[in-house]
Amino acid sequence: MDTTTVPTLTRNWLTHVRLRFLQEEDLPALEWDGVYTHFRHVYREAYQASLKGQALLWVADHETAGIIGQAFVQLASSHPELADGETRAYLYGFRIKPAYRNAGLGSFMLTTIVNDLKQRGYTWLTLNVAIENTAARRLYERFGFVVVGYDPGCWSYLDHEGQRRFVEEPSWRMQKWLGDP
């Protein structure tokens, strides 16, 4: 498929999008034509965690455009304040291709993810949003997330060439009560 072709977003365009769990053959599509190639190992590690039941990896798959969005949910972590494997999950890697933003896809994805986590018995969903990403923060606030603190956003990863990269992305920690199981 020609990834430069963007379908016209008509009123019912979301009916052509399927939110599903990531499959191994989807991993190259997460690189978004080279934009996120440097996260290749991160994506592979997340996929391996999903196979162990420690994460849920969602993709928004448009019938002609392919993968246009992604959202990862960590269920178990060495940081129980983020994900404890029982009641608290951590949303990260939430991305939508620019041409599909502000058209309802983010809301569709969040609704699906929240409902799935509720069915699994989770009562809290936590995330970090970059301080400068005010559009994402507004979306999360519309969904009932509240800021509970600041996170310096310091982390590192191995890029696709095996080089260690360090990230500083100051963020707001947000969380949402999902209700009793």
Side-chain angles (χ1 to χ4, degrees):
M1 192 216 105
D2 178 6
T3 56
T4 60
T5 303
V6 177
T8 303
L9 301 184
T10 59
R11 192 169 52 114
N12 67 347
W13 80 277
L14 278 173
T15 61
H16 303 281
V17 176
R18 184 169 59 112
L19 194 58
R20 61 174 175 79
F21 291 114
L22 178 103
Q23 300 167 0
E24 186 171 17
E25 57 268 18
D26 297 324
L27 288 170
L30 296 181
E31 295 181 16
W32 289 12
D33 301 317
V35 175
Y36 294 112
T37 301
H38 57 282
F39 286 146
R40 184 175 293 160
H41 290 300
V42 174
Y43 295 147
R44 174 64 60 184
E45 288 173 5
Y47 177 72
Q48 294 301 321
S50 75
L51 295 178
K52 296 175 187 171
Q54 299 170 339
L56 303 171
L57 309 182
W58 296 88
V59 292
D61 191 359
H62 187 277
E63 65 186 28
T64 58
I67 293 176
I68 58 171
Q70 68 184 56
F72 299 165
V73 178
Q74 193 169 2
L75 300 175
S77 165
S78 59
H79 300 280
E81 72 279 9
L82 299 178
D84 64 11
E86 294 178 18
T87 61
R88 181 176 296 275
Y90 178 70
L91 175 66
Y92 71 104
F94 190 96
R95 287 192 185 91
I96 297 172
K97 287 190 174 183
Y100 301 92
R101 293 179 188 160
N102 300 311
L105 180 57
S107 296
F108 173 60
M109 292 172 67
L110 276 175
T111 299
T112 302
I113 291 165
V114 164
N115 289 339
D116 181 76
L117 289 171
K118 284 179 180 180
Q119 289 179 359
R120 294 172 189 269
Y122 284 83
T123 55
W124 290 99
L125 181 56
T126 304
L127 59 85
N128 285 350
V129 61
I131 287 175
E132 75 268 359
N133 195 346
T134 56
R137 180 176 169 180
R138 280 193 305 273
L139 171 66
Y140 298 137
E141 287 173 337
R142 280 197 314 269
F143 268 80
F145 285 86
V146 295
V147 172
V148 294
Y150 168 83
D151 188 293
C154 297
W155 60 287
S156 68
Y157 65 96
L158 286 180
D159 70 12
H160 62 294
E161 296 175 338
Q163 299 297 311
R164 173 76 46 197
R165 290 200 188 188
F166 296 90
V167 177
E168 284 187 43
E169 186 176 45
S171 302
W172 295 117
R173 170 81 38 89
M174 300 182 81
Q175 67 182 17
K176 175 181 173 60
W177 169 250
L178 303 180
D180 292 319

